Amino acid sequence: MVNTVFMAGAGLLAAIATGLTLWPLWRDGKRGIWGTLVAAAIVATLGLYQFLGTPAALQVQANAPTSAPRSLEEGVAQLQAALKQNPERVDGWVLLARSQLELGKVADAAQAYEQAVKLAPDEPGLLVEAAQTRAQANPQFLFDDTAAQWLQKARQLAPDNERAIWLTGIVQRQQGRNEEAAQTWESLLSRLEPAAAAALQEQIDLARGKTPASAAPAGDSTAATPAATPPAAGGHAITVTVTLAPSLAARAASGKESLFVIARMPGGPPMPVAVERHPAQNQPITVTLDDGDSPMPTLKLSALEQVEVFARLSVSGNAMRQDGDVESTPVKLSLPADKPLQITLGQP
């Protein structure tokens, strides 16, 4: 009997990922098409797994029967148990990492990716995924030496990997190597669609200390001056008031938890565009998110037309979601925002 843990976990993850990707179909009432495509994705995932995998390596011991997981959490638990028996399964560690990301357990995902990289150190795609997740797990969203080394190796193995090039530029910017970052990103310009190339060009200009052309008034000669100061968020600043529901009052009063207000790019990198942290006991709080709240110099509110804004009550004080945290439903805003945003965290 073939072990169902990896199979069920892979199918469940495929259903979640495909369902989220095709959410616009469901929202627009095309639920039959949505269901058909999700089902097809599950079948394709399991078929590829059977065809490319090594089912014989996943034989279950006779005294350790398993049942199909009823939730992603249960699937993760079974997958972890299976990996204790078969710790050399690279695909198992990758599946575990992606599942942990779906659950918001970024630190656990980073550890799983690290195990996968140890087993498959020459897989460029894996190195890039592992590096980005390791940065997400960092409280300051920084790429440490290990993540930077993984990206460097990924680029050696696959020089044309666009994601590795983009993230390498972020590493260089975080390290203050602004001209190197600009040159790294310039190598991507010819491969991008015009709109994406224009957005990247703005980041290149910012790295070189220039005011992007889109932000400079007509006839303003400072746009080409290296010493020009990058624009503040200005009209792109977002005022947010966060109030906790009565059910969370006791947690807030303990003085042990933090309240985060976060803006991120819809459909873009998972790292925040702007984030502020405040003691939860001071709620309700009103904050103004602007360019000064960006943890990454390459992602600024002033460069975006839309963002998602949400609040999180954090047990750990870490900006990444952890067990026990309470998070509001993200609200999509067009920038500049026409009015302040009100969020009540913990509403049923």
Side-chain angles (χ1 to χ4, degrees), residues 53-73:
T54 53
L58 299 176
Q59 293 298 321
V60 182
Q61 296 179 4
N63 60 352
T66 59
S67 59
R70 292 167 293 182
S71 66
L72 185 56
E73 290 86 351

Side-chain angles (χ1 to χ4, degrees), residues 224-254:
T225 303
T229 302
H236 280 56
I238 306 169
T239 300
V240 186
T241 297
V242 180
T243 304
L244 298 186
S247 59
L248 298 176
R251 287 181 54 172
S254 71

Side-chain angles (χ1 to χ4, degrees), residues 254-271:
S254 71
K256 299 179 181 179
E257 303 197 16
S258 299
L259 191 58
F260 287 89
V261 184
I262 302 171
R264 66 188 178 198
M265 186 165 58
M271 301 170 188

Side-chain angles (χ1 to χ4, degrees), residues 307-331:
V307 291
E308 287 181 341
V309 181
F310 59 99
R312 177 183 297 124
L313 182 63
S314 170
V315 176
S316 65
N318 190 319
M320 299 309 299
R321 189 175 66 187
Q322 307 289 327
D323 287 341
D325 290 357
V326 179
E327 187 175 292
S328 67
T329 301
V331 177

Side-chain angles (χ1 to χ4, degrees), residues 1-316:
M1 177 180 178
V2 176
N3 191 330
T4 62
V5 173
F6 286 98
M7 298 284 287
L12 184 58
L13 187 60
I16 292 172
T18 307
L20 291 175
T21 300
L22 300 176
W23 177 250
L25 291 175
W26 177 281
R27 183 188 57 205
D28 294 340
K30 301 176 182 178
R31 300 183 180 183
I33 299 175
W34 181 89
T36 300
L37 292 176
V38 170
I42 297 172
V43 171
T45 298
L46 298 182
L48 284 171
Y49 194 89
Q50 284 277 54
F51 182 75
L52 298 175
T54 53
L58 299 176
Q59 293 298 321
V60 182
Q61 296 179 4
N63 60 352
T66 59
S67 59
R70 292 167 293 182
S71 66
L72 185 56
E73 290 86 351
E74 188 174 319
V76 165
Q78 292 186 13
L79 184 55
Q80 289 171 326
L83 283 169
K84 288 182 179 180
Q85 298 181 16
N86 299 281
E88 303 304 312
R89 296 286 306 198
V90 178
D91 52 354
W93 288 110
V94 172
L95 178 59
L96 177 61
R98 292 173 179 170
S99 300
Q100 297 284 33
L101 281 176
E102 288 289 338
L103 293 174
K105 299 181 178 180
V106 184
D108 291 340
Q111 292 177 1
Y113 271 126
E114 186 171 1
Q115 292 297 323
V117 168
K118 289 178 180 178
L119 295 170
D122 297 321
E123 293 291 335
L126 172 59
L127 289 166
V128 172
E129 284 187 52
Q132 180 169 332
T133 303
R134 189 176 180 91
Q136 287 177 247
N138 186 294
Q140 285 77 44
F141 304 95
L142 298 175
F143 288 81
D144 63 9
D145 290 343
T146 297
Q149 289 168 7
W150 287 346
L151 287 175
Q152 183 179 11
K153 187 168 185 180
R155 292 192 66 195
Q156 292 172 350
L157 294 167
D160 293 331
N161 188 304
E162 294 180 6
R163 192 173 169 196
I165 295 171
W166 161 249
L167 293 177
T168 297
I170 292 177
V171 172
Q172 292 165 337
R173 277 284 265 153
Q174 289 182 346
Q175 295 175 348
R177 297 153 55 196
N178 296 332
E179 179 57 31
E180 290 181 55
Q183 293 177 8
T184 296
W185 287 333
E186 279 180 330
S187 67
L188 284 176
L189 288 175
S190 62
R191 311 181 197 182
L192 301 176
E193 296 294 327
L200 181 57
Q201 183 62 58
E202 290 190 359
Q203 299 303 319
I204 293 171
D205 290 342
L206 287 172
R208 287 182 168 144
K210 300 178 182 179
T211 301
S214 63
D220 187 350
S221 60
T222 62
T225 303
T229 302
H236 280 56
I238 306 169
T239 300
V240 186
T241 297
V242 180
T243 304
L244 298 186
S247 59
L248 298 176
R251 287 181 54 172
S254 71
K256 299 179 181 179
E257 303 197 16
S258 299
L259 191 58
F260 287 89
V261 184
I262 302 171
R264 66 188 178 198
M265 186 165 58
M271 301 170 188
V273 177
V275 58
E276 285 196 17
R277 172 185 173 184
H278 296 269
Q281 65 197 59
N282 292 344
Q283 68 90 29
I285 63 168
T286 298
V287 304
T288 299
L289 299 177
D290 56 26
D291 282 356
D293 296 311
S294 173
M296 302 185 68
T298 55
L299 290 175
K300 300 288 188 180
L301 280 173
S302 57
L304 300 178
E305 295 182 355
Q306 283 191 330
V307 291
E308 287 181 341
V309 181
F310 59 99
R312 177 183 297 124
L313 182 63
S314 170
V315 176
S316 65

